Amino acid sequence: MFDTRHIDPFWKGLQSCEPYRPAADWLLESPYHRPTDLSALPVETLDEPLRPDTLLTQRSLVLNRLLFNIYQQNNLYLPEGRFSDADTRAFQGFYEPRFVAANALVRPALDRTCFDFLSREISVDGPWTIEHLEEYCTRLLADYEATPSDLCLRIEASPHPQQAARAYLVQLAVDFLAEASQMALALPGNYGPAQSEMMKIFIDEFGYGVHQKKHSTLFVKTIESVGLSARMHTYYYWYLPSSLLLTNYFFWTTVHKPSWFESLGGLYWAEAVNPYFHRRFGQLLKKVFGREGTDTGYFDEHAGIDLHHRRMAFDKLMRPMVRQYGDAVIPAMVRGIETYRLLGDLTERDFLAQMDFCDALLTGGAAASGPVDLSLAEERPRGFLLEPRVCDVDTVVAVARGEVEVDAGYLQPRRLGAGEAVRVPAGRMVGARVVSEGARLSVAPERPVGRG
Ligand SMILES: [Fe+2]
Ligand SMILES: [Fe+2]
């Protein structure tokens, strides 16, 4: 069933489908348009699992975009205004049964490509008892809360703290614009008291039916108050591979039912770290944007309610599950906790490295380390978009003629004129758009500087 040759026709269909076509701009206007450039990837790419050293690459970005879009087809999105003809076509296209089916057929192989490395990286050797698990969780949490948030400190210290804070909110938007939708996928069925306990957490996440209290609504108010668009996945192009991977992992553990016990561990840790981190991040937003008009309601809410949610996740979900099914289910819970910690560290590392590059770019740095060869620069029309992508090797973006804007996720491009160039370190994301007629642009691996 997982033989990739059998899914090749569906893969080819996805390579040329309408919802995955490239966009004209790096801010997207429709929740049904998800540029996913599969053209350079044959179906055999699914036979090559991502590894720790390939997680922050262009292939990982594209595969995680694809997986994100596949899982997102479980979520309903509607246009903000009336349905235009274009909206209607795009809406029906995104949820079209044959398109959904092609995505679904690809998903099992793609899940394995994206998550296989976790089984090698994480060890959950026992023996475990509920007492060990409780001790382990208490110790992890105490350590976490005793360590100052490097991320907040680095954003504060950035020469562009507002842009950096917005860029981080963009990474959170991957998940928070439809927060807890994964949990909704864990609820169907009939599996005893745990289901009703899970429902209690879910009800809080969804504002117990009051739209203004729904966590995703609180998030929207927060990001709008600092100048970001709340339109669904406007910033899709700027989602880093690690942010997509973390969200995809939550989808995977809820959709893939044998991962139930693992999903509880992930849920516990996600709720457990929120009170500390969200209190800190809410304070940071006020500091960076000023107290006036900065809505930190989303972060304030989580600093409080997730103290309950983490207790509920442990005492009402994990503990009774172990009592009922025995110690044998504990390693999967530990796996969920450890995976969340590993992916949490990865997202932070990825974001901080991207932030460093964005800071350098906006401050006028990020210079190429040697002379730039412009002989291969190609003519590009005004409006040409180099889709935001991850550079797998150190890369130089250079302008031979005209003007080009370059951005890396700060949503404030740097304008390069003729003869100017920037160096993009390996693993970093960059996008460019031509803003003058008849520009000549080169995007090429940086050549080692010769000696002598
Ligand atoms: Fe929440
Ligand atoms: Fe929560």
Side-chain angles (χ1 to χ4, degrees):
M1 185 168 66
F2 288 131
D3 189 330
T4 44
R5 282 170 309 172
H6 295 141
I7 55 177
D8 191 42
F10 304 101
W11 184 262
K12 289 205 165 76
L14 297 181
Q15 283 175 318
S16 57
C17 70
E18 185 65 12
Y20 293 166
R21 75 191 186 285
D25 192 21
W26 51 37
L27 298 183
L28 296 180
E29 293 181 353
S30 162
Y32 317 120
H33 184 190
R34 309 294 185 97
T36 307
D37 184 5
L38 299 171
S39 61
L41 298 176
V43 72
E44 289 79 14
T45 197
L46 298 176
D47 292 329
E48 201 186 317
L50 294 173
R51 294 285 173 239
D53 61 343
T54 56
L55 288 173
L56 307 182
T57 59
Q58 174 66 7
R59 187 172 80 97
S60 172
L61 175 68
V62 173
L63 293 180
N64 275 292
R65 278 178 179 166
L66 177 62
L67 190 53
F68 178 66
N69 297 333
I70 294 172
Y71 280 125
Q72 287 260 309
Q73 288 185 316
N74 288 293
N75 291 356
L76 173 66
Y77 296 118
L78 293 173
E80 288 178 336
R82 297 172 79 86
F83 267 105
S84 66
D85 287 350
D87 284 336
T88 305
R89 273 196 306 279
F91 172 64
Q92 289 177 347
F94 188 67
Y95 297 112
E96 201 274 325
R98 282 167 301 182
F99 178 55
V100 173
N103 280 302
L105 279 164
V106 163
R107 208 203 82 215
L110 185 54
D111 280 337
R112 191 185 48 182
T113 317
C114 290
F115 303 126
D116 180 75
F117 78 98
L118 292 170
S119 57
R120 295 160 188 259
E121 291 300 305
I122 289 171
S123 155
V124 292
D125 290 346
W128 288 96
T129 63
I130 189 68
E131 290 77 23
H132 288 139
L133 182 64
E134 195 163 12
E135 248 172 61
Y136 159 84
C137 289
T138 308
R139 183 170 41 78
L140 281 185
L141 197 52
D143 287 351
Y144 178 85
E145 296 195 342
T147 314
S149 164
D150 197 27
L151 188 114
C152 292
L153 294 171
R154 293 274 295 275
I155 291 175
E156 259 181 79
S158 159
H160 310 286
Q162 294 197 348
Q163 288 84 347
R166 282 193 203 100
Y168 188 65
L169 289 168
V170 163
Q171 300 309 315
L172 298 181
V174 178
D175 193 29
F176 295 177
L177 284 173
E179 181 161 319
S181 293
Q182 296 96 327
M183 204 185 294
L185 299 171
L187 288 168
N190 187 345
Y191 50 87
Q195 186 173 27
S196 301
E197 296 300 332
M198 177 77 102
M199 180 56 99
K200 286 180 189 145
I201 300 179
F202 177 74
I203 287 171
D204 285 341
E205 302 290 342
F206 269 57
Y208 36 91
V210 178
H211 190 65
Q212 291 306 313
K213 304 251 182 217
K214 187 170 181 276
H215 287 184
S216 62
T217 311
L218 298 177
F219 184 69
V220 159
K221 285 190 202 159
T222 291
I223 64 172
E224 281 185 326
S225 80
V226 297
L228 287 169
S229 164
R231 192 176 55 205
M232 189 56 63
H233 298 319
T234 298
Y235 307 108
Y236 167 91
Y237 260 140
W238 296 112
Y239 295 162
L240 292 168
S242 59
S243 307
L244 292 164
L245 180 66
L246 178 61
T247 297
N248 287 338
Y249 171 72
F250 276 128
F251 270 114
W252 178 61
T253 56
T254 49
V255 169
H256 178 246
K257 300 305 178 192
S259 296
W260 161 251
F261 297 105
E262 185 171 335
S263 78
L264 294 184
L267 172 69
Y268 166 76
W269 192 250
E271 302 285 357
V273 294
N274 278 350
Y276 172 79
F277 180 76
H278 284 215
R279 189 177 326 108
R280 184 73 189 84
F281 199 79
Q283 290 164 349
L284 173 83
L285 287 182
K286 293 248 192 231
K287 204 163 172 181
V288 166
F289 292 99
R291 305 194 80 76
E292 201 61 38
T294 305
D295 182 332
T296 56
Y298 176 86
F299 295 100
D300 302 339
E301 165 77 2
H302 285 86
I305 200 159
D306 282 349
L307 291 169
H308 301 293
H309 287 171
R310 74 184 182 198
R311 242 190 326 267
M312 289 160 81
F314 197 93
D315 289 336
K316 305 289 185 184
L317 287 166
M318 290 160 79
R319 194 190 298 280
M321 284 279 129
V322 174
R323 202 178 298 131
Q324 183 170 357
Y325 296 108
D327 293 348
V329 301
I330 299 179
M333 294 176 178
V334 176
R335 176 168 294 285
I337 294 170
E338 287 299 318
T339 301
Y340 190 92
R341 292 179 67 224
L342 184 149
L343 295 180
D345 286 348
L346 178 75
T347 54
E348 183 164 317
R349 214 163 12 97
D350 193 12
F351 176 75
L352 290 176
Q354 190 67 27
M355 196 183 115
D356 285 345
F357 173 54
C358 287
D359 277 339
L361 192 63
L362 207 56
T363 314
S369 53
V372 177
D373 177 9
L374 291 171
S375 61
L376 295 176
E378 291 180 57
E379 184 146 345
R380 301 293 188 189
R382 182 202 291 267
F384 171 82
L385 177 72
L386 181 79
E387 289 184 291
R389 70 207 40 227
V390 172
C391 295
D392 291 342
V393 296
D394 295 342
T395 297
V396 173
V397 178
V399 181
R401 193 172 69 205
E403 284 193 310
V404 173
E405 288 184 336
V406 179
D407 203 346
Y410 267 9
L411 311 173
Q412 188 175 326
R414 171 163 155 199
R415 195 170 271 230
L416 299 182
E420 292 188 288
V422 290
R423 173 181 177 274
V424 189
R428 293 305 100 221
M429 182 180 264
V430 74
R433 62 185 176 196
V434 172
V435 289
S436 70
E437 216 49 75
R440 287 172 61 84
L441 172 70
S442 155
V443 181
E446 184 177 48
R447 292 209 308 220
V449 181
R451 279 202 252 163

